[in-house]
Amino acid sequence: MRHRFLLAVLVVLLVAGCGGGGGTPEATAPSSPPPSAPLPPEATPSPTRTVPPKPALRPLPAKLPAGLVRTTGTKKVALTFDDGPDPAWTPKVLDRLKAAKVTATFCVVGTQVRKHPGLLRRIVREGHQLCNHSWNHDLDLARRPVSEIRADLVRTNREIRRAVPDAKVPFYRQPGGRWTAEVVKVAKQLDMRSLHWTVDPQDWAKPTAATIEKRVKRSARPGAVVLLHDGGGNRSATLAACAKVISGLKRDHGVARLT
Ligand SMILES: [Zn+2]
């Protein structure tokens, strides 16, 4: 009797619920998942940075720092060739220098020395001077922490001396001429003088050989340090200008090795 009564109550409740008219609270759909339900997946967080962010670059000074070598100290001018050694151009530049019986300073890049140690040996064998031009031509090197500057310069000199043991590297030249007092100081601590220039015909921007020649002739003064390139791109115009540039400088000023 009792069971039949309960069944009747249940039927009434179910009918009422299906009719949508005032169902019990339990019968309505829950508006939020029960606490035991798994939480919806969250957006995947970005991976945690394991390398600390690089320190900000120090600003470039408004003018060139003190302590740069910018002239030869005599009336004669000096030739400098940057960004090699390069197998396409350096041998030909060396041939031109040999033919003109002059020596130059080669500002070499560490990664190029690693690839072409034989060219570095030829540069030294033929009496030219070496200049450290950073490991990988880092235009911002002088703006980095001092420890990074030092590591770069030391690594480059080590590569130079792997090719030529006991090589003298009396100069450092900052890529792009973007000097800071800090890089000058580190170079000095490593027994290198910081070598800038006085004549820049911008041969890297690939003007014609005639333009390179004209620019050098126009701005060369006694004691000038002339910047040219034997690497870092197609140097056919520089090469084509070499013979006339060198003979003109020899005639007007004399060409000497930096001391
Ligand atoms: Zn350079």
Side-chain angles (χ1 to χ4, degrees):
M1 204 45 206
R2 181 177 168 81
H3 284 120
R4 187 169 295 169
F5 171 75
L6 283 173
L7 191 63
V9 168
L10 189 62
V11 168
V12 168
L13 283 173
L14 281 173
V15 168
C18 286
T24 59
E26 290 82 354
T28 56
S31 59
S32 59
S36 59
L39 292 170
E42 289 175 6
T44 312
S46 54
T48 312
R49 224 192 145 100
T50 50
V51 180
K54 289 219 164 205
L57 297 173
R58 73 172 60 84
L60 274 182
K63 57 178 190 167
L64 291 172
L68 299 183
V69 174
R70 301 182 70 175
T71 62
T72 61
T74 69
K75 286 188 172 175
K76 292 185 176 179
V77 302
L79 292 164
T80 63
F81 289 91
D82 286 18
D83 300 357
D86 183 298
W89 310 107
T90 306
K92 291 173 179 160
V93 167
L94 287 167
D95 290 346
R96 298 289 190 282
L97 294 171
K98 192 189 278 184
K101 297 190 174 65
V102 296
T103 54
T105 299
F106 284 80
C107 301
V108 296
V109 174
T111 51
Q112 291 297 110
V113 173
R114 184 170 61 179
K115 282 187 249 175
H116 312 290
L119 283 177
L120 193 88
R121 284 192 278 276
R122 183 177 164 193
I123 290 170
V124 173
R125 194 169 59 237
E126 298 188 0
H128 304 288
Q129 187 118 269
L130 294 179
C131 169
N132 179 326
H133 197 35
S134 86
W135 177 250
N136 198 21
H137 208 267
D138 179 2
L139 291 169
D140 287 326
L141 182 61
R143 305 173 63 196
R144 300 193 190 285
V146 163
S147 60
E148 282 186 40
I149 297 175
R150 185 188 308 278
D152 186 296
L153 270 51
V154 166
R155 185 182 190 190
T156 306
N157 279 351
R158 194 176 295 145
E159 195 64 41
I160 289 171
R161 291 184 178 123
R162 225 157 65 93
V164 181
D166 309 324
K168 289 195 178 76
V169 189
F171 296 105
Y172 171 71
R173 177 175 276 167
Q174 167 61 34
R178 293 157 67 96
W179 298 97
T180 62
E182 287 78 4
V183 80
V184 172
K185 188 174 174 186
V186 171
K188 190 177 179 186
Q189 288 166 348
L190 297 171
D191 290 328
M192 294 185 288
R193 295 158 72 205
S194 289
L195 177 61
H196 197 58
W197 56 80
T198 40
V199 177
D200 176 12
Q202 306 207 318
D203 64 329
W204 48 268
K206 298 182 185 163
T208 64
T211 301
I212 295 173
E213 190 196 333
K214 194 169 64 188
R215 287 175 178 169
V216 172
K217 186 175 171 55
R218 194 176 55 202
S219 44
R221 302 280 178 273
V225 175
V226 181
L227 168 63
L228 293 164
H229 292 80
D230 67 322
N234 186 325
R235 298 277 89 97
S236 54
T238 305
L239 192 70
C242 255
K244 283 188 177 176
V245 164
I246 296 170
S247 62
L249 290 173
K250 276 179 81 175
R251 183 189 60 232
D252 297 343
H253 306 283
V255 174
R257 203 169 94 143
L258 283 161
T259 52

